[in-house]
Amino acid sequence: MPTLRSCIAALLVLGGLALGRDAITLRLVAVGALIVLAFWPEAMTGPSFQMSFAAVTALVALAEHPRFRALTSARDEGWARRAGRVLAAMLMTGIVVELVLMPIALFHFHKAGMLGAFANLVAIPLTTFVVMPLEALALLFDLVGLGALFWWMTAQTLNLLLLVAHGVAASPMATMLTPAVPSWLFALMIGGLLWCLLWRSGWRWLGLGPVAIGVTGVLLLSPPDILVTSDGRHVAVRTSTGGMALLRAGAGDYVRDTLAESAGYDGPIEAMADLRQARCSTDLCAVGMQAGGRRWHVLATRSDMLVERALFSRECAAADIVIADRALPRWCRPRWLKIDRRMLARTGGIAIDLDDARISTVRMAGDAHPWIVAPRPRRHPSWRPQL
């Protein structure tokens, strides 16, 4: 899909130049987007389409602004002033692109870069004027067997580039992490940004209002207290110190990263069994959580083995929330919420905010998209009804 979008944009640019028109305009972006959506309308929901066209729209809108054109226009001046203008233009384009892409990155990936524009001030000139020429010289001198020196120099400049990248990534301000962003906040920010980019008069600044409201809403988002994956096998809870703990300590990196990003958390993840407020056996794990002015009791299954009814029914009755990757029997009656295979088949993954007793689900009411595969209901092989 990215290759097709690039090909369509290149053909539109060539067509505009052939007709003697100014090809790099917002009309070009609009026509390219319409062509892509005419053949692949589902692309609109993907981060690739959104980020590509948002970045191009921001760059074209900035390039059309009279003050930016005045800054980048050619003039007779010394090399120092020319270099300063080039660096200023690079910084402005980098900041604009990062600001436009930030809502999309936060909505889809729960994280966004903050210092990329400043890192590019070093990375782009270094790559353009040092790395690429050295690689060309190395390839040229390889024809006579003398390219080793230039390859060594290329390696050193790449090491410098990696040093800059690691240095920026190590900064505490390098990325912004947030919990899952609600769709309405995302739509508010994107609508405001589009208003700012598409208008050319003073009306454009009215779009800053929705953007400010959306940013404020994102900053005020509270991380969920409990996260449950769509299969019910993996459960993450917030600890009393603000960290995270997993039900299954042997969960892989993908599960850990996904749950941590969904919670807007970047730190070590503990095992639920190691928490002081947890009681865990091979098959069950009960943990106490303080939130919303009260204490919550959460019970989760952590194996496929059959649990004795007398024990399990007693634990269910004492719990506010019961979570299982199997279909729970009717006699398991927690005080507030029962999350099992039947419920997860309807809702997908679940996030719970205990302060407000609010439940957020991946699947919403009315979701009937063709790419959603309805799971087949099946009885867990290890669960046998008890009479």
Side-chain angles (χ1 to χ4, degrees):
M1 185 62 70
T3 304
L4 290 173
R5 287 199 298 266
S6 301
C7 181
I8 291 171
L11 291 175
L12 290 173
V13 170
L14 290 175
L17 293 175
L19 295 173
R21 304 290 296 273
D22 186 5
I24 309 299
T25 65
L26 288 176
R27 293 185 181 89
L28 164 74
V29 182
V31 172
L34 288 174
I35 292 175
V36 172
L37 293 177
F39 291 95
W40 304 280
E42 73 279 2
M44 179 180 285
T45 62
S48 177
F49 175 90
Q50 294 173 8
M51 298 182 84
S52 297
F53 280 97
V56 174
T57 302
L59 290 174
V60 174
L62 178 63
E64 290 184 343
H65 197 280
R67 292 186 180 179
F68 187 81
R69 287 190 172 185
L71 174 67
T72 57
S73 60
R75 65 193 71 178
D76 187 13
E77 61 184 355
W79 67 269
R81 291 179 62 86
R82 186 181 299 112
R85 287 193 300 109
V86 170
L87 290 177
M90 287 174 52
L91 182 61
M92 290 178 63
T93 54
I95 291 176
V96 166
V97 170
E98 283 198 358
L99 290 177
V100 171
L101 296 186
M102 190 175 297
I104 303 174
L106 291 177
F107 180 74
H108 289 285
F109 310 113
H110 316 297
K111 63 170 62 176
M114 303 287 288
L115 302 178
F118 299 96
N120 286 338
L121 291 178
V122 178
I124 292 177
L126 183 63
T127 303
T128 305
F129 300 112
V130 181
V131 175
M132 300 305 293
L134 283 176
E135 287 185 349
L137 287 173
L139 291 171
L140 180 63
F141 278 88
D142 267 349
L143 297 175
V144 293
L146 299 176
L149 174 62
F150 294 100
W151 284 123
W152 178 85
M153 296 172 65
T154 302
Q156 302 312 307
T157 54
L158 290 175
N159 288 335
L160 178 59
L161 191 64
L162 290 174
L163 181 64
V164 172
H166 289 305
V168 172
S171 170
M173 297 179 60
T175 57
M176 176 182 179
L177 295 172
T178 65
V181 178
S183 300
W184 69 272
L185 276 181
F186 174 64
L188 196 64
M189 290 186 288
I190 292 299
L193 287 173
L194 287 175
W195 184 279
C196 292
L197 294 175
L198 298 181
W199 282 87
R200 296 188 178 184
S201 64
W203 287 93
R204 65 169 47 187
W205 305 119
L206 293 178
L208 294 179
V211 173
I213 295 174
V215 171
T216 304
V218 169
L219 294 177
L220 294 178
L221 287 175
S222 59
D225 296 293
I226 303 174
L227 286 167
V228 185
T229 58
S230 59
D231 58 2
R233 285 182 54 81
H234 301 285
V235 180
V237 299
R238 280 275 173 180
T239 65
S240 57
T241 58
M244 283 186 67
L246 272 180
L247 173 66
R248 300 175 187 264
D253 291 338
Y254 176 77
V255 172
R256 290 172 173 268
D257 292 343
T258 301
L259 291 174
E261 290 174 3
S262 298
Y265 176 73
D266 184 19
I269 300 180
E270 305 175 65
M272 194 181 296
D274 296 335
L275 299 179
R276 294 179 56 186
Q277 66 269 32
R279 296 183 295 106
C280 296
S281 65
T282 306
D283 305 314
L284 299 174
C285 198
V287 59
M289 302 179 65
Q290 190 70 34
R294 56 162 291 188
R295 189 165 183 81
W296 298 81
H297 298 276
V298 181
L299 177 68
T301 62
R302 59 194 306 234
S303 78
D304 294 336
M305 300 302 295
L306 176 66
V307 182
E308 182 184 353
R309 174 168 178 169
L311 170 64
F312 196 44
S313 61
R314 185 169 62 250
E315 293 289 344
C316 280
D320 298 293
I321 303 171
V322 176
I323 305 169
D325 61 346
R326 62 190 72 176
L328 292 174
R330 290 184 175 85
W331 47 257
C332 177
R333 297 176 180 175
R335 290 193 286 255
W336 182 51
L337 183 63
K338 180 167 71 174
I339 302 174
D340 64 354
R341 183 179 293 276
R342 296 189 189 95
M343 180 177 180
L344 292 170
R346 299 190 306 269
T347 64
I350 291 177
I352 303 174
D353 187 348
L354 295 179
D355 288 327
D356 302 324
R358 186 176 68 250
I359 303 171
S360 303
T361 62
V362 171
R363 296 180 186 171
M364 309 298 291
D367 279 350
H369 306 296
W371 55 82
I372 295 181
V373 179
R376 294 181 178 179
R378 65 182 182 88
R379 188 181 300 278
H380 198 280
S382 66
W383 192 268
R384 299 190 299 272
Q386 298 185 18
L387 304 177

